[in-house]
Amino acid sequence: MQMLQLIVSHTPIWVWLVLAFLVVRGIKAMKPGETSLGKLAIVPVLFTAWGMWSINARYAGSWQAWALWLVGIAAGAAIGWALLRRLQLRVEPTTGALWRGADYSLLPLLLVTFLVKYGFEVALAMSPELVADTGFRAAYLMISGGFTGIFVGKFIRYVSASRGLVGQGKVMPAA
């Protein structure tokens, strides 16, 4: 228990703010409603930036690190795309507003992604020598990239679906 208190107390405030933001986004996604591609881009951009920052901080200049992360992103993007296979979207032709159905996968994915990334970061903070461990490095980069890729794939699915609907103003699957 003391270790947990130590970990939590040494976590920067911005990390807790990110967690609060993710929870709010996940809860909002559970209700169908109007959105924009800009709003839908926030989560993939956030995790991409966090991943890029982490790689630069630990593996600056390592093309192998970037390659592992990008392989993870590609695999995750395929999963994210598939998660929204039943996506329902409608574009309002007069305003261009995007109406999306409820996304019940977002909140659990956000929480799991946060916990996994947080766990890796805590492990690295407590044992900096893990940066040089090949197995840990591969797992960290591919899993981190994979979770980021899920959000990237979901966003690409939204973009693809919305472009197919522009001017139609009707509901149809994103496939």
Side-chain angles (χ1 to χ4, degrees):
M1 192 62 157
Q2 206 172 30
M3 176 73 85
L4 183 60
Q5 289 175 333
L6 188 62
I7 291 168
V8 169
S9 69
H10 283 81
T11 299
I13 295 293
W14 70 265
V15 173
W16 301 122
L17 294 174
V18 167
L19 176 59
F21 170 77
L22 295 174
V23 169
V24 169
R25 291 292 285 185
I27 291 170
K28 283 183 179 181
M30 295 170 129
K31 299 174 189 155
E34 182 179 338
T35 191
S36 68
L37 290 176
K39 287 180 184 176
L40 293 170
I42 292 171
V43 169
V45 167
L46 175 70
F47 281 115
T48 299
W50 189 359
M52 292 172 73
W53 173 83
S54 296
I55 293 170
N56 277 328
R58 293 189 177 83
Y59 306 106
S62 170
W63 68 268
Q64 295 96 341
W66 287 100
L68 287 169
W69 189 63
L70 291 172
V71 165
I73 286 180
I79 293 167
W81 178 274
L83 283 173
L84 293 181
R85 68 185 170 278
R86 290 186 172 85
L87 173 68
Q88 296 289 309
L89 287 178
R90 181 175 56 85
V91 175
E92 181 61 44
T94 56
T95 64
L98 180 66
W99 291 84
R100 55 134 186 93
D103 181 357
Y104 297 105
S105 69
L106 188 61
L107 181 59
L109 276 170
L110 289 171
L111 294 176
V112 169
T113 301
F114 179 87
L115 289 173
V116 168
K117 288 182 75 57
Y118 183 76
F120 275 120
E121 297 297 335
V122 167
L124 285 163
M126 293 177 67
S127 302
E129 68 277 3
L130 287 172
V131 168
D133 182 276
T134 305
F136 182 89
R137 176 180 169 164
Y140 168 68
L141 292 167
M142 290 183 71
I143 291 170
S144 175
F147 278 112
T148 298
I150 289 172
F151 300 109
V152 169
K154 289 176 79 166
F155 179 71
I156 292 169
R157 179 72 136 192
Y158 277 117
V159 169
S160 174
S162 68
R163 287 195 176 165
L165 293 174
V166 172
Q168 295 178 17
K170 61 181 184 177
V171 177
M172 64 186 285

